Amino acid sequence: MSRFPKPAEGSWTEHYGLDTAPISYEDSISPEFYELEREAVFKRAWLNVGRVDLLPRKGSYFTKEMVVASTSIVVVRGLDDKVRAFHNICRHRGNKLVWNDFPKQETSGTCRQFACKYHGWRYNLDGSNAFIQQESEFFGLDKADYGLAPVHCEVWEGFIFVNFANEPEQTLREFLGPMVLGIEGYPFEKFTERWFYRAEINSNWKLFSDATQEFYHAPVLHALQSPPSFSGPAREAGFEAPHYQTDGPHRLITTGGIRPWELPDDKVKPMERAVRAGLFGAWDPYDLGVDELPAGLNPGRIDPWGNQSFQLWPNLVFLFWSQGFYYVYHYWPTSHRSHVYEGTLYFLPARTPRERVQHEMIAMAFKEFGIQDVNTCEATQTSLESRAVQRFPLGDQEILCRHMHKVCADAVDQYLKEQEV
Ligand code: FES
Ligand SMILES: [Fe+2]
């Protein structure tokens, strides 16, 4: 028996018109599929590379290694305050333009011009060529033709997106679509306390993405995050989400609100009770200073809700907590069997020592369950690669995994069709 009502079709999976048959995970173990995915997905979709907070001043910049698109980019705030992105390559003889001690290491800083280490060519913050060393030695060369190669770049709600297509098929807003645009107006700019994790993981990026778009695993895999008096019954009850939604390539899951502050003593770790924060975030809601949160934040109108996980195609997650803070995840593929995971936690800046300790506690719990998830991803990768089993059943609580693998397969099919023409 379901705890929450299911759609009229009997399941969320059927409600959103998805097949119910077991699926293949060949898309996560095949080097050939990965090569197609790079072209069909990562060189076409809008990709979030960070927030404007990373570029606080005119001349602030950061570089990003975009291994999946075989490039490195530099993202910079110009003197006109506009955020632009460029391929991180010098127009003279192709040296990487912005890097410090190690060419593959990302870097950030503030400058007025970018200068190439090799022969000293320089570029303005808008990408135009500012200086050519011994310009008169060159043959009919016009500096104006030798600016940095631009990358399409748009900013939405302070999130910086890039697109590697020659001409993106959609504007960023068209790409995000109504479900995601429904969170416009969330006071993102107030969340200036930022905690950041980065990990190199030996699994396909979609395996970790799967682990964060279903919570069916949570009462089992993460059982030791809570005292047995909580985790035992939780495991028995299993997980159900009160609401799922899809919109184009994007997906959403709402969890019902678990309120640890209402639980008896023996069901919460003593440390969490002392700090009033932990696995389920801070217990005391934050005042976000807005009259009303955007309607798209909880489109299923679930009350109480715990968190809202927006899974944006292809590799971005916004996880909003009802108490008033949010996390962002990115999965950056580096091969068919590896990726870089980035987890960022955003809080309103701590106003008291208690809040500071709460954030520490939340970040620690986050790391713990992250490591539990990652272990499983790496174990799954090696097992899938045996190809001893080829079809895998997904339950209704795993609808978002099913949706994502289908979106991915459709994108690759579409790309292959276009190549035939
Ligand atoms: S490669 Fe950059 S100045 Fe020569
Ligand atoms: Fe998990």
Side-chain angles (χ1 to χ4, degrees):
M1 256 318 271
S2 296
R3 249 173 298 156
F4 298 111
K6 293 258 191 182
E9 293 84 353
S11 71
W12 294 100
T13 308
E14 290 157 295
H15 177 68
Y16 289 113
L18 293 164
D19 195 19
T20 54
I23 72 161
S24 161
Y25 267 92
E26 193 62 26
D27 67 1
S28 303
I29 56 175
S30 155
E32 293 78 25
F33 189 91
Y34 172 66
E35 289 306 320
L36 290 168
E37 199 177 60
R38 295 174 80 170
E39 301 298 327
V41 176
F42 287 92
K43 290 194 190 167
R44 291 188 166 187
W46 285 95
L47 305 170
N48 172 244
V49 291
R51 271 191 63 75
V52 288
D53 315 39
L54 299 172
L55 304 174
R57 283 182 288 284
K58 297 179 199 310
S60 297
Y61 66 86
F62 65 86
T63 65
K64 188 97 189 145
E65 292 303 300
M66 305 295 279
V67 177
V68 67
S70 308
T71 192
S72 161
I73 60 171
V74 53
V75 183
V76 57
R77 184 186 287 279
L79 294 175
D80 55 359
D81 260 329
K82 192 170 153 55
V83 175
R84 296 179 177 85
F86 302 99
H87 288 280
N88 190 5
I89 173 173
C90 176
R91 287 295 308 272
H92 174 221
R93 265 168 50 201
N95 185 28
K96 188 176 234 177
L97 182 63
V98 185
W99 53 283
N100 287 339
D101 296 335
F102 302 99
K104 285 188 178 169
Q105 240 170 41
E106 294 173 351
T107 183
S108 62
T110 305
C111 68
R112 281 292 173 263
Q113 287 187 337
F114 297 113
C116 181
K117 299 178 196 305
Y118 204 170
H119 313 94
W121 287 31
R122 296 203 301 267
Y123 302 87
N124 295 310
L125 303 177
D126 64 2
S128 58
N129 190 315
F131 173 76
I132 292 178
Q133 171 85 358
Q134 291 172 256
E135 191 173 351
S136 60
E137 294 282 339
F138 287 85
F139 305 94
L141 178 152
D142 183 352
K143 261 212 314 270
D145 297 335
Y146 287 87
L148 295 177
V151 176
H152 296 281
C153 179
E154 288 188 30
V155 178
W156 170 78
E157 291 287 304
F159 292 93
I160 304 165
F161 287 78
V162 298
N163 190 308
F164 291 108
N166 289 334
E167 273 316 316
E169 287 159 16
Q170 295 172 300
T171 64
L172 175 58
R173 292 183 67 80
E174 287 166 350
F175 173 78
L176 294 173
M179 185 180 81
V180 177
L181 293 178
I183 55 175
E184 270 180 348
Y186 190 81
F188 292 105
E189 71 288 350
K190 293 186 178 170
F191 292 78
T192 52
E193 189 182 315
R194 175 177 175 272
W195 297 65
F196 180 68
Y197 292 104
R198 179 186 187 277
E200 293 173 17
I201 295 169
N202 292 317
S203 88
N204 185 274
W205 65 282
K206 295 188 290 303
L207 296 188
F208 202 1
S209 182
D210 277 356
T212 63
Q213 58 190 338
E214 56 90 356
F215 294 108
Y216 170 52
H217 74 275
V220 181
L221 182 66
H222 303 305
L224 293 178
Q225 291 274 93
S226 312
S229 53
F230 178 86
S231 58
R235 182 181 179 134
E236 204 137 300
F239 172 83
E240 270 179 54
H243 186 72
Y244 290 101
Q245 202 165 316
T246 65
D247 179 21
H250 313 298
R251 306 165 290 283
L252 170 147
I253 173 175
T254 308
T255 67
I258 293 176
R259 307 183 151 217
W261 51 92
E262 291 173 358
L263 294 173
D265 271 357
D266 69 326
K267 292 194 188 264
V268 181
K269 286 181 180 168
M271 189 61 189
E272 296 202 5
R273 187 167 297 284
V275 175
R276 294 186 66 76
L279 183 57
F280 297 98
W283 292 7
D284 305 305
Y286 292 90
D287 177 8
L288 300 186
V290 289
D291 293 339
E292 235 175 291
L293 287 169
L297 187 61
N298 178 13
R301 302 285 176 276
I302 304 304
D303 185 24
W305 62 280
N307 64 48
Q308 292 282 352
S309 179
F310 286 76
Q311 309 272 333
L312 277 68
W313 178 249
N315 67 335
L316 169 66
V317 176
F318 291 131
L319 182 71
F320 296 96
W321 289 83
S322 60
Q323 302 100 300
F325 51 96
Y326 76 98
Y327 305 161
V328 177
Y329 309 158
H330 294 90
Y331 313 96
W332 296 109
T334 47
S335 79
H336 71 285
R337 61 197 316 271
S338 62
H339 71 279
V340 168
Y341 165 75
E342 294 169 340
T344 316
L345 285 56
Y346 288 96
F347 299 104
L348 297 187
R351 293 162 307 177
T352 61
R354 173 189 284 277
E355 286 187 353
R356 177 66 180 74
V357 173
Q358 284 180 329
H359 298 174
E360 189 88 39
M361 185 76 178
I362 296 166
M364 194 189 66
F366 177 86
K367 187 174 80 176
E368 274 305 306
F369 67 73
I371 288 171
Q372 290 159 15
D373 286 323
V374 168
N375 268 340
T376 314
C377 293
E378 297 199 348
T380 304
Q381 182 74 32
T382 49
S383 294
L384 288 175
E385 286 176 1
S386 75
R387 291 189 172 83
V389 175
Q390 312 247 343
R391 295 274 151 190
F392 301 88
L394 297 181
D396 203 28
Q397 302 299 329
E398 292 161 298
I399 172 186
L400 300 189
C401 307
R402 192 185 285 279
H403 178 263
M404 185 189 72
H405 287 271
K406 180 175 184 325
V407 169
C408 195
D410 289 352
V412 166
D413 281 350
Q414 171 71 24
Y415 171 76
L416 286 172
K417 270 199 205 102
E418 287 168 22
Q419 302 306 301
E420 280 168 15
V421 178

